[in-house]
Amino acid sequence: MAARATTRGVLSEEQAEKREEIIALLTRAYWLEIETVMSYVANSINPDGVRAQEIRESLEADISEELGHARQFAERIKELHGIVPGSLEFRAEQSGLQPPESQTYLVHVIEGVIAAETGAIEHYNQLIEATDPGDWATQDLVIGILRDEERHLRLFERFLREFEAAT
Ligand SMILES: [Fe+2]
Ligand SMILES: [Fe+2]
């Protein structure tokens, strides 16, 4: 019996256009995660001062989680017949996570993390909506990652409140 293409879901021939749209959104998600890894490496090392310790440790723990997200997005791109892009296609966007002038200026770092997580949450909501209907596997993947980012956002919102209360 000859193999035949699936007729339902995002891998079907009729869904080629939808697949391209989702691959483009997944590619942006991949780059967001890669840039977050770079930003969190720098910001888990740069900050100085007694109060920096908790921020540094928290970002350090997030690095492997964000790298895991990047790998999951890359896997999904490949599963949808896409190609994971090369590094020359990378364009940085996280202006809020550049090192502050003073390495004890922690509110700058906290606000930068909040901006990065908020940007990811917005993009992942858009991605989840684009998978409806037809690509439930991508939707399931992105919902799990969205939950991680919402947890990161809430943690840094609490840090910000604490820092604002202390100054
Ligand atoms: Fe992430
Ligand atoms: Fe995150």
Side-chain angles (χ1 to χ4, degrees):
M1 206 171 86
R4 65 181 186 93
T6 174
T7 55
R8 293 186 74 116
V10 75
L11 292 178
S12 66
E13 238 167 74
E14 303 78 66
Q15 292 293 317
E17 210 171 298
K18 186 76 190 168
R19 219 159 43 231
E20 290 307 313
E21 181 196 345
I22 291 172
I23 287 169
L25 292 165
L26 284 168
T27 302
R28 177 160 152 72
Y30 170 75
W31 287 131
L32 286 175
E33 296 291 346
I34 293 286
E35 187 173 14
T36 299
V37 168
M38 286 193 267
S39 293
Y40 288 5
V41 167
N43 286 288
S44 68
I45 291 172
N46 282 334
D48 280 329
V50 184
R51 301 206 308 168
Q53 197 56 26
E54 192 155 2
I55 306 295
R56 290 178 45 171
E57 280 171 12
S58 176
L59 287 176
E60 197 182 309
D62 282 351
I63 293 167
S64 56
E65 202 173 340
E66 308 294 11
L67 182 59
H69 294 162
R71 296 183 70 153
Q72 290 177 76
F73 284 130
E75 292 273 6
R76 191 60 189 158
I77 289 168
K78 172 95 171 170
E79 284 161 11
L80 295 182
H81 305 299
I83 295 169
V84 183
S87 57
L88 287 180
E89 284 179 43
F90 175 70
R91 264 211 301 278
E93 307 178 12
Q94 290 177 351
S95 51
L97 275 169
Q98 306 311 300
E101 264 174 47
S102 161
Q103 299 315 312
T104 58
Y105 185 24
L106 296 169
V107 168
H108 171 90
V109 175
I110 296 169
E111 285 176 341
V113 171
I114 288 172
E117 297 291 347
T118 302
I121 286 167
E122 279 168 11
H123 183 63
Y124 300 164
N125 271 286
Q126 189 193 341
L127 182 40
I128 288 164
E129 283 163 21
T131 60
D132 186 0
D135 186 1
W136 309 123
T138 298
Q139 185 174 91
D140 184 60
L141 170 77
V142 183
I143 287 172
I145 294 174
L146 174 66
R147 189 177 175 203
D148 291 339
E149 312 302 8
E150 288 181 340
R151 177 167 43 81
H152 297 159
L153 174 67
R154 293 293 298 119
L155 178 65
F156 275 79
E157 281 176 348
R158 289 195 294 274
F159 281 145
L160 185 61
R161 266 211 305 280
E162 187 191 323
F163 273 70
E164 282 171 344
T167 49

